[in-house]
Amino acid sequence: MQSQAVRYSDRVFEYYYLKSQQASHFPAVVFIHGILSSGRLFTHQLMPLIANSGFSSYSLTLRGHGNHQAKHSSDPFQDHVSDVVAFVDFVHQQDNKPVVIVGYSLGGLIAQHVCQRKEVKPRLAGMALMASVPPQGFSALNQTMLLENPALAMVLGQVMAMPNMALLNPYYQHVMIDALFASRPSQQQLAMLMSELKAEDLRLFIESHSIENNAQLSLPVTVIGAKEDKLVPVSLVEASAEYYGVEPVFFSPMGHAMPLEKEADQLAVYLAKWCRKL
């Protein structure tokens, strides 16, 4: 699956697209990735799996990630939110269908902000949060990590700032692999994870970017977590589910790298089943 580029609404989008071979009325699915990654993350397992269930899907590469050359403004988080809002509009125009937005990790917090925007709501069918930063934002995530796993917090900061150099350190490698996977990953899984590493713009994480009010969110929501996730642990997944008034769904054995885990087929089955009800 090759990355595509398109200019739309004065922006350039880098994305992956997989059309289902089954004609269906199901909504289009848009995946939003997290840190140290790109839209390519979902092409390995989740997009092919849900295509087999009748869903066409898109996976956006956020600016500053993968091969995307666009620069951030002084507010990179709002850049991402505005880009995803415009991309949802693009997908809606392309498919003439409502859109399910699936936000993973950082992408989950971005998705929550996107779904607050009035102009995009008529185009949305639902929101799925997958190992997502909770509505309380980065302050809740960082505080929990510092209290429960300070070594991981230290290593993650170094990896975000200079990933290729930091991951030459065997200890850093061990800490990150332990946080991301429920069991020892294969070389193929590691290669997929490491294929497009780039340093993060750390301005993204300076502010909490919490969701202030969910009263205006009139969308179906599902909150999905991984039992062995050390980056977004069970407690934060439960906090997200409570905020949106839904029961969390957990997969095990599975770590934070949910799209690459061996059990990703189970995740795809659940996601397709949930989307069919929308």
Side-chain angles (χ1 to χ4, degrees), residues 9 20 34 41 69 89 95 157 168-169 173 177 190 199 208-209 232 242 244 247 254 260:
S9 187
S20 172
L41 180 73
Q69 299 301 313
D89 186 65
D95 283 36
L168 293 175
N169 183 317
Q173 289 181 28
I177 289 172
L190 289 175
S208 180
H209 302 295
V232 181
E242 181 179 3
Y244 290 107
E247 287 295 320
M254 191 173 282
L260 300 179

Side-chain angles (χ1 to χ4, degrees), residues 163-237:
N164 293 302
M165 183 178 295
L167 288 173
L168 293 175
N169 183 317
Y171 174 71
Y172 284 15
Q173 289 181 28
H174 170 76
V175 170
M176 291 303 297
I177 289 172
D178 181 62
L180 291 168
F181 294 95
S183 59
R184 181 71 186 180
S186 67
Q187 288 301 313
Q188 183 183 21
Q189 286 172 296
L190 289 175
M192 290 188 290
L193 183 69
M194 303 282 286
S195 63
E196 293 188 327
L197 285 181
K198 277 190 177 178
E200 289 289 341
D201 188 326
L202 297 181
R203 291 176 300 172
L204 275 169
F205 313 101
I206 292 173
E207 297 182 16
S208 180
H209 302 295
S210 60
I211 301 294
E212 301 299 333
N213 181 13
N214 71 342
Q216 302 301 316
L217 186 67
S218 54
L219 280 174
V221 176
T222 187
V223 176
I224 308 166
K227 281 285 190 180
E228 288 73 36
D229 190 343
K230 294 181 176 65
L231 284 172
V232 181
V234 167
S235 61
L236 292 185
V237 177

